[in-house]
Amino acid sequence: MMDALPKDFLRRTRCDSAASRPQFTNCPTMIVMVGLPARGKTYISKKLTRYLNWIGVPTQVFNLGQYRREAVQTYKNYEFFRPDNEEAMKIRRACASSAMKDIANYFAKEQGQVAVFDATNTTRERRGVIISFAKEKGYKVFFIESICDDPEIIEANIMQVKLSSPDYENYDKEEALVDFLKRIDCYKMSYVSLDEEKERHLSFIKIFNVGSRYLVNRVQDHMQSRIVYYLMNIHVTPRSIYLSRHGESELNLLGRIGGDSGLSSQGLKYARALSEFIRGQSIKDLKVWTSHMRRTIQTAEALGVPYEQWKALNEIDAGVCEEMTYEEIQATNPEEFALRDQDKYRYRYPKGESYEDLVHRLEPVIMELERQENVLVICHQAVMRCLLAYFLDKSADDLPYLKCPLHTVLKLTPLAYGCKVESFYLNIQAVNTHRDKPTDVNIARKPEEALRTVPEHL
Amino acid sequence: SISGRVRSCFHILLLYTSRLEHQNKALTHKTRTMRGASRSKNTQILDKRVCMTNCPTLIVTVGLPARGKTYISKKLTRYLNWIDVPTKEFNVGQYRRECVKIYKSFEFFRPDNEEGLKIRKQCALAALNDVRQFLTDEGGQVAVFDATNTTRERRETIIRFAEQNGFKVFFVESVCEDPDVIAENIVQVKLGSPDYTHCNTEEAVADFMKRIKCYENSYQPLDEELDRDLSFIKIIDVGRRYLVNRVQDHIQSRIVYYLMNIHITPRSIYLCRHGESDLNVKGRIGGDSGLSARGKQFADALGQFIQSQNISDLKVWTSQMKRTIQTAEAVGVPYEQWKALNEIDAGVCEELMYEEIQLKFPLEFALRDQDKYRYRYPKGESYEDLVQRLEPVIMELERQENVLVICHQAVMRCLLAYFLDKTAEELPYLKCPLHTVLKLTPVAYGCKVESVCLKVEAVNTHRDRPMNVDVSRQAEEALLTVPDHQ
């Protein structure tokens, strides 16, 4: 990577995940979904994968339905899934093998740590095959079963995500619904739920009725414990999360990073505009969160509603570079400045933090955001980038360059398997604080190269 | 009435001053008491804000005798208090011992013992009364009602009581049929109970088994169907399996997470600081210096000590600061670095001597002495912040078995306070000298502590609270308790 750097430096910028959190697990883990169609398996798979990747655990979903669609280019109807359809059974088994091969490859060659095997896995026989496979390879297995009998929830599921599936491109809505319900019936006959007694040596969580009840068996390690905690905190109640930065601050105007200044006059205007905007949205039971820094608190004050302060929402600590302009950083610490451009996610300011550290300290905020319903989070640029990356599944490389301009509210609404984003610029002028990655990130670069992408300021 | 009006004026005055206070705190943010790093909480300072989410919680244990209810109650209470949720346990057995001075035999617990039943019901009600006082009048947030509560009828009574008083209820049931676990329980905590001071071991065990029998017939475990509207966790076979129903809020979610991470496998936790550092020798706080010569000696001695202890599968954790890493290197086994174990950030006071802090920041120095737990260094942290960031470390320590944690003075004080149930007032003054290893071994309801001094000289870094903490004090008074240094 970088050549012949002093050990001291290496320690500062070390990025191994063991550095800021314990080794999650030394052997890879297979998470195996279990459940009838339309029970939220793919929803859980994708959400869990997004969460694990965000906290630094390389995770990937292997969706059997996709393998099947590759193998059988055109979906005709539910008959494919009839238990007496020998031809189809052969294909489906082949798909499962193919997926497992890819999982093995993901672990062995791509440094994956967790693979989520997203399929119905409704028979003990199929689960047995997976367990043998995992045992042979030395993977841990953790089952997640979703059980739901509420016909309304199931129908809502089908409407939200099944009707728009490639399988039903040529169907109209009613026909699709009818066909899908028949598809579910095909599985029901042979469905054997995870059994507390007969399968008591397995590690699993059973989720009943979208989280009103859980049965947890034999959690083996830290990672599984975190997964269980996460699953027990998520919900599907419709809601929106509003993310915004504080209003423009005095230091923003001067092009200085960090610090704890108050709002500029434009910033105060934004606070008032934000208040109007929020009122206009007519949000039920809105919670408002800020950091402990003056500029977010001042912004929240204008709203005139109760708010909670989180130290964890404080802006990234720029250590020795606190309150400097980029020009000053270039002048006093040109090497640091270059190193940061080389790996902005992992780079840690001397006596400060990295984005990686930020993600770690924001994890409890994310967990609580998952528990909550309507929330407005008034925070800071780097913090907002981290939160946004979680909701929009952005990689560690993209995260530090996400655009989070001042005086703009992002409204995130969970939808299907992802998040709808609406951006509201509240029409109050503010400086730009976004510095793109310059083309030249070499330590030997000239100051002009380094400062090329610095936004304007006083 | 006049007094009514006076009271309401006073109330308005309180609101007004507390609002000002809040604004001042918001602006100066010196001695912030508002928490909420990893836990959201409406603070009491903001009187004008309606408190919607903070109704107190009543945790109710359920289970036959010797199923670990008191163990869980005490541990959970200790944890919640450490993370700053005022919690207290109410053990009905203790109320019964107050009422019936001398325990004769299991016959007291026979289901047909009318007299016994009457007394036991009274005791439960007395305990509930104290619960109400704690949660309503004394600022308690969580009360743990520790009793068998094995019948649906008894639980109904408690639920009604909670409803009347506006408390949320969360049941924690422990179900266990493993005879070895039960026998071990009895040996560890029942034989030493006041009930059995006059019995020998065999008699005590025999009596206790008969006592359990008295409950068995009328035991109605929490049921997935019949009790589906209640919020509870059922812990089966000491954590092999859990059934969790209707978690209502954040605190219950945290409680469930905690309960699912604790275990009772015997193990020991070793706590020590890094070896003496160069800055220690100079009497400077914080920083990221390396070990002094004596510090290196300690690291070697530590390595030898660990070897001699023959610990199975020892995990070693350090912070990300040079001095703990250097110490671990000498132990010669793989170690994991936790940023969360870094020493408290002294902000503007980093690398200063106490004399220099007194010179440059005499006001701050005094404020810190006034409330060392909550005081936050400008641009730095407070002990309170430290506890927040150490919570995941504690959670992982609970999950693990044998662990050696090589950390720092303030960090070690926080961890120790958790294991030994020390208050926020005591915590910042706990003695954690250099070159001394503390071996903590869970036993019965608490923790055995063995202190091993590894006989390598080091400076003393412990500064006691001085007599005079007033901001107007003289420099000498402030510096009276500063330990010697170069």
Side-chain angles (χ1 to χ4, degrees):
Chain A
M1 196 164 69
M2 304 167 208
D3 27 312
L5 288 157
K7 249 182 131 166
D8 180 60
F9 156 76
L10 281 174
R11 189 186 54 76
R12 277 203 313 262
T13 61
R14 189 204 319 269
C15 63
D16 31 69
S17 52
S20 55
R21 63 195 66 121
Q23 239 14 105
F24 277 113
T25 179
N26 286 326
C27 46
T29 302
M30 269 185 77
I31 294 182
V32 182
M33 304 302 299
V34 179
L36 293 172
R39 263 58 176 179
K41 297 184 300 299
T42 301
Y43 175 81
I44 291 170
S45 300
K46 286 180 183 260
K47 209 170 156 72
L48 186 56
T49 299
R50 178 162 57 87
Y51 168 70
L52 290 173
N53 278 313
W54 186 75
I55 62 172
V57 181
T59 306
Q60 195 175 311
V61 180
F62 295 82
N63 175 284
L64 205 52
Q66 257 162 259
Y67 283 78
R68 189 257 308 154
R69 274 183 282 273
E70 299 267 309
V72 183
Q73 295 290 321
T74 318
Y75 173 77
K76 286 216 201 70
N77 60 33
Y78 78 96
E79 307 247 341
F80 182 84
F81 292 96
R82 286 179 54 157
D84 55 359
N85 186 338
E86 288 288 348
E87 175 81 25
M89 276 298 179
K90 238 172 67 179
I91 297 176
R92 289 159 75 192
R93 267 196 292 270
C95 287
S97 300
S98 182
M100 284 191 272
K101 223 174 76 177
D102 286 351
I103 289 175
N105 191 59
Y106 177 63
F107 287 148
K109 310 260 175 62
E110 294 175 38
Q111 281 92 45
Q113 239 182 294
V114 177
V116 183
F117 189 46
D118 177 17
T120 51
N121 297 316
T122 39
T123 62
R124 201 164 283 141
E125 184 220 348
R126 168 57 59 83
R127 298 195 286 268
V129 169
I130 298 171
I131 292 168
S132 308
F133 164 76
K135 190 158 175 204
E136 184 200 314
K137 300 279 194 179
Y139 308 150
K140 289 188 184 175
V141 183
F142 187 74
F143 291 94
I144 299 178
E145 180 171 14
S146 174
I147 297 172
C148 182
D149 316 338
D150 184 335
E152 278 183 31
I153 297 181
I154 295 165
E155 192 170 307
N157 255 1
I158 298 176
M159 301 302 267
Q160 269 227 351
V161 296
K162 299 298 178 187
L163 301 189
S164 52
S165 148
D167 290 346
Y168 292 113
E169 259 172 347
N170 304 313
Y171 278 68
D172 78 22
K173 284 215 170 89
E174 269 83 51
E175 288 171 352
L177 183 57
V178 167
D179 183 86
F180 200 84
L181 289 172
K182 290 210 187 90
R183 205 154 117 176
I184 298 179
D185 282 337
C186 293
Y187 285 88
K188 276 193 178 158
M189 289 304 223
S190 57
Y191 179 23
V192 179
S193 176
L194 285 167
D195 191 287
E196 295 176 32
E197 277 312 302
K198 301 210 180 85
E199 285 164 293
R200 66 178 171 281
H201 50 285
L202 300 180
S203 296
F204 63 81
I205 178 171
K206 278 172 114 157
I207 305 172
F208 296 88
N209 290 328
V210 206
S212 81
R213 193 162 85 243
Y214 306 90
L215 180 70
V216 181
N217 197 65
R218 282 193 189 268
V219 170
Q220 298 172 49
D221 60 22
H222 176 94
M223 161 112 77
Q224 292 178 15
S225 155
R226 290 284 286 276
I227 289 169
V228 164
Y229 184 41
Y230 181 71
L231 293 175
M232 289 176 55
N233 281 315
I234 60 181
H235 67 79
V236 293
T237 311
R239 50 83 169 251
S240 290
I241 294 170
Y242 296 79
L243 298 182
S244 158
R245 289 168 67 187
H246 52 82
E248 184 194 72
S249 74
E250 315 261 299
L251 286 179
N252 285 146
L253 272 180
L254 298 171
R256 294 183 175 282
I257 65 173
D260 192 16
S261 58
L263 298 180
S264 66
S265 56
Q266 288 297 102
L268 286 166
K269 278 198 204 143
Y270 172 70
R272 289 191 288 269
L274 181 62
S275 172
E276 266 181 59
F277 170 74
I278 290 299
R279 244 172 289 143
Q281 289 275 301
S282 293
I283 309 155
K284 159 174 148 326
D285 286 332
L286 179 71
K287 295 262 165 77
V288 179
W289 297 353
T290 69
S291 69
H292 275 195
M293 298 179 136
R294 250 192 276 187
R295 49 200 189 277
T296 57
I297 293 171
Q298 279 185 311
T299 310
E301 278 287 323
L303 297 173
V305 296
Y307 58 92
E308 292 171 28
Q309 301 179 24
W310 291 67
K311 186 168 195 266
L313 285 171
N314 279 3
E315 180 59 316
I316 191 171
D317 184 354
V320 299
C321 297
E322 275 284 316
E323 300 197 40
M324 289 192 185
T325 60
Y326 289 118
E327 291 85 350
E328 286 167 359
I329 300 176
Q330 170 60 31
T332 57
N333 298 289
E335 184 177 307
E336 296 292 327
F337 202 35
L339 288 171
R340 184 160 206 253
D341 283 336
Q342 289 177 18
D343 190 357
K344 197 174 176 190
Y345 183 73
R346 280 169 206 81
Y347 172 83
R348 190 183 280 164
Y349 282 107
K351 302 200 171 172
E353 295 176 299
S354 62
Y355 271 93
E356 193 174 27
D357 295 327
L358 247 196
V359 161
H360 185 63
R361 80 162 148 88
L362 284 168
E363 203 262 345
V365 177
I366 287 295
M367 198 62 91
E368 190 55 22
L369 272 173
E370 286 293 347
R371 289 198 57 81
Q372 292 290 341
E373 293 183 19
N374 293 317
V375 187
L376 164 64
V377 184
I378 303 172
C379 54
H380 305 265
Q381 182 166 251
V383 169
M384 187 159 157
R385 284 170 172 158
C386 293
L387 298 179
L388 202 56
Y390 167 74
F391 288 109
L392 303 185
D393 203 16
K394 298 295 183 185
S395 67
D397 293 319
D398 292 339
L399 187 162
Y401 296 102
L402 293 175
K403 285 210 163 68
C404 295
L406 286 166
H407 299 187
T408 306
V409 184
L410 289 185
K411 176 179 177 180
L412 306 167
T413 312
L415 184 62
Y417 294 137
C419 228
K420 176 172 85 171
V421 193
E422 294 163 83
S423 172
F424 298 92
Y425 172 58
L426 295 195
N427 247 320
I428 311 277
Q429 280 268 358
V431 294
N432 171 26
T433 57
H434 184 96
R435 179 175 167 268
D436 271 311
K437 187 184 197 192
T439 341
D440 191 351
V441 297
N442 210 278
I443 298 181
R445 66 189 174 177
K446 299 211 175 65
E448 312 85 69
E449 297 290 321
L451 298 173
R452 196 169 293 270
T453 54
V454 172
E456 293 190 357
H457 57 86
L458 287 177
Chain B
S1 73
I2 294 182
S3 65
R5 266 182 284 142
V6 167
R7 229 177 302 135
S8 70
C9 286
F10 186 59
H11 187 58
I12 293 169
L13 191 62
L14 265 184
L15 280 179
Y16 180 66
T17 53
S18 75
R19 175 110 169 83
L20 275 185
E21 200 182 287
H22 163 61
Q23 278 185 335
N24 275 332
K25 285 194 170 174
L27 296 175
T28 62
H29 112 105
K30 254 190 218 300
T31 55
R32 173 149 320 282
T33 57
M34 271 183 256
R35 299 197 53 206
S38 60
R39 206 172 43 82
S40 64
K41 177 184 160 186
N42 278 331
T43 71
Q44 290 88 343
I45 296 176
L46 311 171
D47 278 357
K48 70 168 192 168
R49 329 280 199 207
V50 175
C51 171
M52 288 176 291
T53 57
N54 271 356
C55 49
T57 303
L58 177 58
I59 297 180
V60 182
T61 63
V62 179
L64 294 173
R67 264 53 176 184
K69 299 184 299 300
T70 301
Y71 175 82
I72 289 169
S73 299
K74 286 184 183 270
K75 211 170 154 73
L76 188 56
T77 299
R78 177 162 56 88
Y79 168 71
L80 290 172
N81 278 314
W82 187 74
I83 62 168
D84 208 33
V85 179
T87 306
K88 196 169 170 196
E89 22 134 13
F90 298 83
N91 176 284
V92 174
Q94 256 164 260
Y95 284 76
R96 188 257 308 156
R97 274 184 281 274
E98 295 275 307
C99 194
V100 183
K101 293 299 182 185
I102 304 175
Y103 174 76
K104 288 215 198 70
S105 77
F106 77 95
E107 307 253 353
F108 180 81
F109 291 97
R110 286 177 56 156
D112 55 0
N113 182 343
E114 289 289 351
E115 179 74 26
L117 283 172
K118 221 170 82 176
I119 295 176
R120 289 156 70 193
K121 181 130 199 234
Q122 272 172 12
C123 290
L125 292 177
L128 285 178
N129 202 26
D130 287 350
V131 162
R132 176 173 1 133
Q133 196 174 319
F134 175 66
L135 295 179
T136 310
D137 303 331
E138 293 172 22
Q141 188 90 44
V142 176
V144 184
F145 187 61
D146 177 19
T148 50
N149 299 316
T150 39
T151 61
R152 200 158 273 127
E153 186 213 347
R154 168 58 56 85
R155 297 195 289 265
E156 270 302 309
T157 309
I158 298 170
I159 292 168
R160 272 197 306 273
F161 160 82
E163 263 164 29
Q164 278 164 12
N165 289 286
F167 307 150
K168 288 185 182 175
V169 182
F170 188 74
F171 292 95
V172 177
E173 179 174 22
S174 173
V175 174
C176 180
E177 291 314 315
D178 184 337
D180 292 330
V181 173
I182 296 166
E184 180 62 24
N185 252 3
I186 296 176
V187 166
Q188 273 229 356
V189 296
K190 300 298 178 186
L191 300 187
S193 150
D195 291 345
Y196 294 112
T197 39
H198 58 284
C199 290
N200 71 33
T201 307
E202 272 90 50
E203 291 168 347
V205 172
D207 183 271
F208 199 84
M209 298 300 265
K210 292 204 192 100
R211 202 154 118 178
I212 297 177
K213 275 254 159 327
C214 294
Y215 286 88
E216 272 174 9
N217 283 333
S218 58
Y219 181 21
Q220 294 166 302
L222 287 167
D223 185 88
E224 289 178 35
E225 276 313 300
L226 298 172
D227 298 306
R228 68 177 168 281
D229 290 330
L230 301 182
S231 296
F232 64 83
I233 178 172
K234 197 192 262 269
I235 304 171
I236 299 150
D237 289 337
V238 204
R240 183 80 27 97
R241 196 157 85 235
Y242 305 91
L243 182 68
V244 180
N245 199 65
R246 288 198 186 274
V247 171
Q248 297 174 52
D249 60 18
H250 178 96
I251 190 81
Q252 290 179 17
S253 157
R254 289 288 284 280
I255 288 167
V256 164
Y257 183 42
Y258 181 72
L259 291 175
M260 289 176 56
N261 280 315
I262 61 179
H263 68 78
I264 56 168
T265 310
R267 51 83 171 251
S268 289
I269 294 169
Y270 297 78
L271 298 181
C272 77
R273 290 167 66 187
H274 53 81
E276 183 192 69
S277 74
D278 288 325
L279 285 180
N280 285 146
V281 172
K282 300 198 179 101
R284 295 183 175 281
I285 66 173
D288 192 16
S289 59
L291 298 180
S292 66
R294 298 195 295 200
K296 295 199 182 97
Q297 263 178 274
F298 167 72
D300 292 327
L302 180 64
Q304 281 173 37
F305 170 71
I306 291 301
Q307 289 270 30
S308 71
Q309 287 274 301
N310 270 325
I311 308 156
S312 98
D313 287 326
L314 179 71
K315 295 260 162 73
V316 179
W317 296 353
T318 69
S319 69
Q320 286 185 358
M321 299 180 133
K322 252 191 269 192
R323 50 200 190 277
T324 57
I325 294 171
Q326 281 183 324
T327 309
E329 283 285 323
V331 177
V333 295
Y335 57 92
E336 293 174 26
Q337 300 178 26
W338 290 69
K339 187 168 195 268
L341 284 172
N342 280 5
E343 181 57 316
I344 191 171
D345 184 354
V348 299
C349 296
E350 275 286 315
E351 301 198 40
L352 296 183
M353 293 186 277
Y354 288 120
E355 293 84 347
E356 288 167 351
I357 300 177
Q358 168 60 30
L359 207 61
K360 294 172 74 170
F361 307 104
L363 175 62
E364 296 294 328
F365 202 34
L367 288 173
R368 184 160 207 253
D369 283 336
Q370 287 178 17
D371 189 356
K372 196 174 177 191
Y373 183 72
R374 277 170 207 82
Y375 171 82
R376 187 182 285 160
Y377 283 107
K379 301 198 171 174
E381 295 176 299
S382 61
Y383 270 93
E384 194 173 27
D385 295 328
L386 250 196
V387 162
Q388 282 285 335
R389 77 164 151 87
L390 284 169
E391 203 263 348
V393 176
I394 286 294
M395 198 62 89
E396 190 55 20
L397 273 173
E398 286 294 346
R399 288 199 56 81
Q400 291 290 340
E401 292 184 19
N402 292 316
V403 187
L404 163 63
V405 185
I406 303 173
C407 55
H408 305 266
Q409 183 167 251
V411 169
M412 187 161 158
R413 284 170 170 156
C414 293
L415 297 178
L416 203 56
Y418 167 75
F419 288 109
L420 303 186
D421 203 16
K422 299 294 183 185
T423 63
E425 280 65 50
E426 296 168 296
L427 187 162
Y429 296 102
L430 293 176
K431 285 214 163 66
C432 294
L434 287 165
H435 299 187
T436 304
V437 183
L438 290 185
K439 176 179 177 180
L440 306 167
T441 312
V443 77
Y445 293 139
C447 228
K448 177 171 84 169
V449 192
E450 294 163 79
S451 172
V452 185
C453 173
L454 292 194
K455 301 254 188 306
V456 179
E457 286 266 345
V459 294
N460 171 27
T461 57
H462 185 95
R463 178 175 167 268
D464 271 312
R465 187 176 202 249
M467 296 287 280
N468 193 344
V469 298
D470 211 80
V471 303
S472 61
R473 67 189 174 178
Q474 306 278 36
E476 310 86 66
E477 296 180 280
L479 299 173
L480 219 61
T481 54
V482 171
D484 288 334
H485 59 87
Q486 264 176 12

